């Protein structure tokens, strides 16, 4: 094996590297594009000036043929890397050996449950590093169309698993740390890869009762647009300075997103100052075509491509640009300067990636096979799964006593392998199922597939019940599988599918310890399991990635302690009958019980931020500077040196957490919420304003963290979309069970700290 490994490395060392332009001896050698002292826009402009009109038009799609006469290689702009380098048009996995796999992390919805920004940064750094390594050996491009940063508004959405959850503050923190990992920092000299924030904006419907994403018109108020649907995109553009955006399929208030100059120019490039010369907008795939049909926004195909290009969509994922821009240009529907602008933005991005620089001057281009799924990356994938897995119920059965020797592992997820990856996945180096992990721990395992995810029959019951009868402990691994719906399909119910609940009920009557693993990216109604005293423990395992089975079993036996928190609300089953998916409003109304933990007026089955531990914790909350009252005008005047008032510091709060248990060392997530009746009614129930994850708090020991609030933390959004500081009484609440509270006043006149551009 060692000899084979050595030969593989030698083969790669002398093998095919990425198809970069030859700036030393090729046709571009004396062009400004190869001059490392020039700016990216100067270099890209010099390149585009060499293109003929036909060459310009040919290179507007995601599959760019390049310009052979200039030594400019063909380039594929479409790579995926949602939770690891993923199968996509631009990623070419080898049949075996090096580059035949990449680290496969959990789906974002599970990683976000860790509430660990440092972890997310490391995941981003690893995915970006592996993407760069793939590129160095001509197995991928450098533009990765990830992350999906839409908020998980409705539990029926088929792609919610791809997102970090429902809370916009959490999404903003998550995406900032992920992007600075993926790209190698905020505006570094060279980007590691270019990431893409998608889908901008108001996209969270696939196909629900005939409302299809390609033609859906999302009706969104300015208040909701500012408060919920775009803050994470603001962070992408203004704060993380991401290299790319993707406009979405849907329209918002009558205008398709990829033809929406209000989105792509007024908000994105002007209000959020996304003005670096190497940033481009790509369409979602065939979204430009959808401007013509089924949106029927443009009367002709030529007008559709012109509308998108003029609005600021620089790249077409599809064929509409190369096919119809020539005739649109002939009709005078856009100026050549607009076409040049789009191409310059794209190729300036490649400049920023070191595409036109010598390999020795770009450290990322020195990466070798060893940077793909290293032992450190594999450990990180395991840690990400452990940290996100969330304990929803436990009567003391977990962690399992070492006296148990035989397990029944039953259910459609009990032997899951690729299923654990979810969607937008690549080829993993290994896939450790719960069954595999239980066997590795030395258990005698009686395995039965049991009822499938959507199996309506009881034909599998006898064999599965026999496995349970022969075992001391029963583990049922079930729930939904969002990849069955996922892209292009939404769900209609949020209950356990098929006959799973009936089967679990039979298992619960056997008088044996029963642990249920609720898998999948979304949440289903766990009411029956939570109320059944014979269901001893309930764990949400999501899509835990390549080492998910090991992570789950380690938590079950106590090799690891659970500390994840739900990043979404678990609604009762009847929620889906109370509000249509097409109602984009967040606040409660006559036909809407409210959305997310901020606005939901019903009683959640499990609330946002909930998660149990194997030990107990107490906590205290205190301000670093004791002050009961703050004058709004004084706060604002003290922040005038800040370019963005919402980022100006307000106050810091110390949280001291003590593990009051006697035997288990555990992580703990500090969640700080803000409550108060101020600003436009109806008021949110509460809002997350800060969090941190403390690691390995030993029994009878304490750790302290400092949570920092900004003026933006205190603001609320008015009917025009403006962020406003309002006078009133503010209460900080620590954790979902209110371990500690702190109240202060804002006095004086209300003050706008961010004016939302009006359409």
């Amino acid at each position: 094996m060692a000899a084979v490994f050595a030969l593989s490395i030698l083969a790669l060392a002398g093998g095919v590297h990425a198809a970069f332009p030859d700036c030393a001896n090729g046709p571009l050698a004396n062009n400004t594009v190869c001059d490392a002292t020039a700016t990216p826009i100067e270099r890209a402009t010099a390149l585009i000036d060499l293109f003929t009109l036909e060459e310009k038009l040919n290179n507007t799609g995601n599959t760019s043929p390049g310009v052979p006469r200039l030594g400019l290689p063909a380039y594929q702009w479409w790579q995926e890397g949602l939770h690891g380098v993923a199968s996509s048009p631009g990623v070419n996995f080898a049949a075996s050996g090096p580059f035949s796999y990449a680290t496969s992390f959990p789906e974002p919805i599970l990683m976000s449950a860790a509430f660990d920004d440092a972890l997310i940064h490391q995941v981003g750094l690893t995915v970006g590093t592996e993407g760069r390594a793939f590129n160095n050996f001509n197995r991928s491009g450098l533009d990765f169309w990830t992350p999906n940063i839409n908020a998980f508004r409705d539990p029926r959405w088929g792609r919610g698993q791809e997102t970090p959850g429902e809370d916009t503050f959490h999404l903003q923190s998550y995406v900032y740390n992920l992007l600075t990992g993926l790209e190698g920092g905020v505006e570094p000299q060279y980007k590691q890869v270019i990431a893409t924030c998608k889908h901008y904006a108001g996209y969270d419907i696939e196909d629900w009762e005939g409302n299809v994403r390609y033609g859906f018109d999302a009706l969104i108020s300015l208040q909701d647009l500012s408060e919920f649907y775009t803050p994470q995109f603001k962070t992408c553009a203004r704060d993380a300075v991401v290299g790319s955006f993707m406009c979405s399929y849907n329209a918002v208030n009558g205008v398709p997103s990829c033809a929406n100059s209000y989105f792509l120019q007024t908000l994105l490039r002007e209000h959020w100052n996304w003005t670096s010369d190497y940033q481009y907008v790509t369409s979602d795939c065939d979204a430009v075509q959808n401007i013509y049909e089924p949106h029927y926004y443009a009367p002709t195909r030529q007008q559709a491509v012109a509308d998108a290009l003029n609005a600021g969509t620089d790249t077409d994922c599809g064929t509409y640009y190369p096919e119809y821009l020539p005739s649109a240009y002939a009709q005078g529907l856009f100026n050549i300067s607009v076409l040049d602008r789009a191409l310059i933005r794209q190729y300036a991005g490649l400049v920023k990636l070191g595409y036109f620089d010598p390999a020795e001057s770009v450290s990322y281009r020195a990466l070798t096979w060893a940077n793909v799924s290293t032992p450190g990356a594999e450990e990180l994938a395991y840690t990400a799964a452990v940290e996100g897995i969330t304990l929803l119920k436990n009567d003391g059965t977990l962690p399992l006593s070492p006296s148990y020797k035989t397990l029944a592992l039953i259910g459609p997820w009990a032997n899951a392998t690729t299923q654990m990856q979810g969607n937008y996945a690549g080829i993993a180096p290994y896939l450790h199922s719960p069954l595999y992990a239980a066997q590795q721990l030395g258990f005698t395992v009686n395995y039965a597939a049991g009822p499938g995810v959507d199996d309506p029959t009881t034909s599998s019951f006898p064999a599965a019940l026999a496995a349970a009868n022969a075992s001391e402990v029963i583990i049922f691994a079930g729930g939904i599988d969002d990849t069955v719906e996922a892209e292009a399909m939404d769900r209609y119910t949020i209950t356990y599918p098929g006959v799973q609940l009936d089967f679990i009920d039979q298992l619960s009557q056997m008088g044996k310890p029963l642990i249920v693993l609720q898998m999948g990216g979304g949440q289903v109604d766990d009411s029956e399991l939570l109320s059944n005293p014979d269901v001893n423990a309930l764990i949400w395992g999501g899509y835990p990635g390549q080492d998910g089975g090991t992570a789950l079993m380690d938590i079950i036996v106590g090799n690891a302690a659970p500390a994840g928190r739900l990043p979404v609300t678990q609604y009762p089953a009847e929620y889906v009958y109370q509000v249509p998916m097409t109602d984009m409003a967040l606040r409660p109304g006559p036909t809407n019980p409210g959305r997310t933990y901020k606005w939901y007026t019903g009683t959640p089955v499990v609330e946002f931020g909930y998660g149990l531990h194997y030990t107990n914790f107490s906590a205290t909350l205190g301000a670093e500077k004791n002050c009961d009252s703050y004058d709004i005008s004084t706060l604002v005047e003290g922040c005038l040196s800040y370019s963005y008032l919402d980022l100006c510091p307000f106050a810091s709060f110390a949280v001291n957490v003590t593990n009051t248990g006697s035997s288990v060392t555990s992580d703990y997530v500090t969640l700080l919420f803000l409550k108060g009746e101020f600003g436009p009614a109806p008021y949110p129930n509460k809002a997350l304003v800060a969090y941190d994850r403390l690691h390995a708090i030993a029994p009878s020991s304490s750790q302290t963290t400092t949570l920092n609030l900004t003026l933006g933390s205190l603001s609320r959004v008015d009917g025009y979309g403006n962020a406003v500081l309002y006078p009133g009484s503010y209460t900080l609440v620590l954790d979902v069970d209110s371990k500690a509270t702190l109240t202060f006043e804002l006095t004086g006149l209300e003050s706008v700290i961010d004016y939302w551009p009006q359409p």
Side-chain angles (χ1 to χ4, degrees):
M1 180 62 72
V4 173
F5 174 82
L7 287 173
S8 297
I9 294 297
L10 287 172
L12 280 176
V16 177
H17 286 257
F20 290 94
D22 183 358
C23 274
N25 302 300
L28 294 173
N30 296 318
N31 186 267
T32 301
V33 74
C34 290
D35 180 2
T37 65
T39 66
I41 195 169
E42 290 171 340
R43 298 173 70 177
T45 300
L47 173 68
I48 301 307
D49 283 346
L50 299 177
F51 286 23
T52 65
L53 175 61
E54 182 181 9
E55 289 165 344
K56 291 177 180 180
L57 295 167
N58 286 344
N59 283 281
T60 53
N62 64 287
T63 305
S64 296
V67 183
R69 69 178 181 86
L70 297 177
L72 183 68
Y75 187 78
Q76 175 58 253
W77 300 88
W78 180 4
Q79 282 71 219
E80 297 288 352
L82 181 68
H83 51 109
V85 175
S87 301
S88 46
V91 174
N92 175 25
F93 284 95
S96 62
F99 298 105
S100 61
Y101 53 81
T103 309
S104 186
F105 293 96
E107 281 274 19
I109 193 66
L110 186 70
M111 288 196 290
S112 73
F115 284 88
D116 187 344
D117 288 346
L119 171 80
I120 298 306
H121 179 82
Q122 285 301 121
V123 169
L125 185 63
T126 302
V127 175
T129 300
E130 295 191 7
R132 187 51 99 142
F134 265 73
N135 175 261
N136 283 346
F137 291 94
N138 206 26
R139 291 199 170 275
S140 79
L142 288 166
D143 293 78
F144 283 79
W145 290 354
T146 188
N148 181 343
I149 202 64
N150 299 109
F152 199 169
R153 172 185 62 97
D154 191 290
R156 291 163 285 191
W157 186 27
R159 298 183 70 176
Q161 60 175 298
E162 300 175 28
T163 79
E166 70 181 38
D167 180 76
T168 52
F169 174 79
H170 186 201
L171 266 66
Q172 288 177 274
S173 297
Y174 179 102
V175 74
Y176 180 86
N177 285 278
L178 183 75
L179 291 177
T180 53
L182 280 167
E183 295 196 335
V186 178
E187 294 197 280
Q189 180 183 2
Y190 293 105
K191 284 187 180 264
Q192 180 171 239
V193 298
I194 282 180
T196 304
C197 284
K198 64 184 187 184
H199 311 82
Y200 180 60
Y203 169 63
D204 55 17
I205 285 181
E206 303 302 307
D207 183 352
W208 184 81
E209 294 191 353
N211 296 279
V212 181
R213 60 181 178 166
Y214 304 110
F216 177 62
D217 183 13
L219 303 180
I220 304 175
S221 70
L222 289 180
Q223 185 179 43
D224 287 348
L225 192 66
S226 172
E227 185 173 25
F228 182 78
Y229 291 99
T230 62
Q232 58 274 39
F233 291 103
K234 174 181 70 176
T235 297
C236 289
R238 191 192 72 181
D239 304 328
V241 198
V242 70
S244 176
F245 261 60
M246 177 183 285
C247 53
S248 57
Y249 290 118
N250 60 286
V252 173
N253 301 332
V255 184
S257 297
C258 293
N260 195 327
S261 60
Y262 175 69
F263 276 1
L264 302 182
Q265 183 63 34
T266 305
L267 280 180
L268 179 58
R269 294 194 177 274
E270 295 173 10
H271 189 58
W272 296 335
N273 199 31
W274 198 59
T275 54
S276 294
D277 50 24
Y278 54 82
Q279 296 163 326
Y280 73 95
V281 173
T282 179
S283 75
D284 205 340
C285 297
D286 294 327
V288 171
Q289 174 181 333
N290 300 151
I291 296 169
Y292 173 64
E293 58 179 353
H295 282 298
Y296 303 107
Y297 179 78
T300 65
R301 293 174 174 86
Q302 289 77 12
Q303 190 64 58
V305 295
D307 285 349
L309 191 68
N310 287 326
T313 300
D314 304 305
T315 307
D316 175 22
C317 180
T319 60
Y320 250 47
Y321 268 12
E323 188 170 356
Y324 294 108
L325 280 177
S327 51
Y329 182 69
Q331 294 175 28
L333 298 179
F334 66 89
N335 295 325
I336 192 68
S337 61
V338 178
L339 177 62
D340 287 351
R341 179 187 69 183
L343 292 165
I344 288 168
R345 287 171 176 169
Q346 291 174 250
Y347 283 95
L350 291 182
V351 169
K352 193 67 176 175
L353 289 159
Y355 190 74
F356 297 93
D357 288 6
E360 59 271 16
S361 67
V362 184
S363 60
Y364 295 125
R365 288 175 63 178
L367 297 174
T368 64
W369 180 86
N371 296 94
V372 178
S373 199
T374 62
E378 294 173 1
E379 182 180 357
L380 186 64
Y382 167 81
T383 299
V386 166
E387 287 199 10
I389 291 168
T390 304
L391 183 63
L392 301 180
K393 179 182 180 179
N394 185 27
D395 64 2
T397 297
L398 296 182
L400 275 184
S401 167
S403 64
Y404 294 118
K405 305 300 181 185
T406 61
L407 296 178
L409 257 175
I410 303 169
W413 287 82
N415 195 27
T417 52
T418 55
Q419 191 178 0
M420 293 191 302
Q421 294 179 274
N423 66 349
Y424 282 93
I427 300 172
Y430 51 80
L431 291 163
H432 291 160
S433 69
L435 174 59
Y436 166 88
Q439 292 169 336
Q440 294 300 113
L441 288 171
F443 286 103
T444 298
V445 182
N446 297 305
Y447 164 70
V453 170
D454 291 305
D455 186 358
T457 72
T458 60
S459 59
S460 64
F461 282 22
L465 291 172
N469 269 316
S471 307
E472 298 171 281
V473 177
I474 306 167
I475 300 174
F476 179 79
I480 58 174
D481 185 356
D482 298 289
T483 57
V484 175
E485 287 86 11
E487 194 158 353
M489 187 69 71
D490 297 308
R491 285 188 278 138
Y492 288 91
T493 65
I494 52 173
T495 57
Y496 276 78
V499 293
Q500 291 186 45
L501 283 179
D502 291 337
F503 181 68
I504 294 171
D505 184 61
Q506 291 194 33
L507 293 177
S508 72
Q509 298 174 38
M510 299 182 73
K512 299 182 178 186
L514 172 59
I515 302 154
V516 175
L517 305 182
Q518 179 211 314
M519 306 299 291
Q523 289 295 307
V524 289
D525 185 348
D526 282 322
S527 297
E528 291 189 35
L529 307 185
L530 294 170
S531 63
N532 185 342
D534 296 317
V535 174
N536 304 99
L538 175 63
I539 295 172
W540 173 57
Y543 290 93
Q546 66 184 40
D547 217 5
T550 306
L552 285 162
M553 287 306 305
D554 276 353
I555 283 177
I556 287 171
V557 302
N559 291 338
R565 304 297 191 94
L566 276 193
V568 290
T569 299
Q570 186 182 117
Y571 297 95
E574 61 266 22
Y575 183 82
V576 300
Y577 306 110
Q578 296 170 344
V579 56
M581 276 195 77
T582 50
D583 185 342
M584 306 297 287
L586 303 174
R587 289 158 175 78
T591 59
N592 188 339
R595 295 189 179 277
T596 81
Y597 76 99
K598 289 185 180 180
W599 304 107
Y600 181 51
T601 54
T603 301
V605 177
V606 185
E607 63 183 310
F608 171 92
Y610 183 83
L612 298 174
H613 306 83
Y614 286 162
T615 185
N616 295 312
F617 291 95
S618 64
T620 61
L621 174 66
E624 289 194 346
K625 294 181 180 179
N626 292 322
C627 186
D628 297 329
S629 179
Y630 300 85
D631 176 67
I632 292 174
S633 62
T634 302
L635 288 175
V636 173
E637 288 170 6
C639 293
L640 295 181
S641 61
Y642 281 77
S643 299
Y644 308 106
L645 291 179
D646 61 299
L647 297 181
C648 181
F650 164 64
S652 298
F653 298 88
V655 178
N656 182 266
V657 178
T658 301
N659 182 343
T660 59
S662 60
S663 59
V664 177
T665 295
S666 176
D667 290 4
Y668 182 82
V669 173
T670 59
L671 300 175
L672 190 62
F673 297 94
L674 184 68
K675 296 178 66 174
E677 296 184 357
F678 46 84
Y683 312 112
N685 301 316
K686 57 184 177 182
L688 184 68
V689 290
Y691 63 83
D692 190 22
R693 187 178 181 111
L694 301 175
H695 295 275
I697 307 176
S700 302
S701 298
S702 300
Q703 288 186 26
T704 300
T705 185
T706 300
L707 301 179
N708 301 309
L709 271 59
T710 65
L711 292 193
S713 307
L714 309 180
S715 67
R716 286 193 176 163
V717 176
D718 68 16
Y720 297 98
N722 303 319
V724 185
L725 292 180
Y726 292 97
S729 178
Y730 292 65
T731 300
L732 293 171
V733 180
L734 184 63
D735 214 336
V736 294
D737 60 355
S738 301
K739 282 186 167 59
T741 62
L742 189 153
T743 299
F744 59 88
E745 299 279 336
L746 289 191
T747 61
L749 298 177
E750 64 186 58
S751 179
V752 176
I753 61 171
D754 182 38
Y755 283 96
W756 185 258
Q758 301 302 294

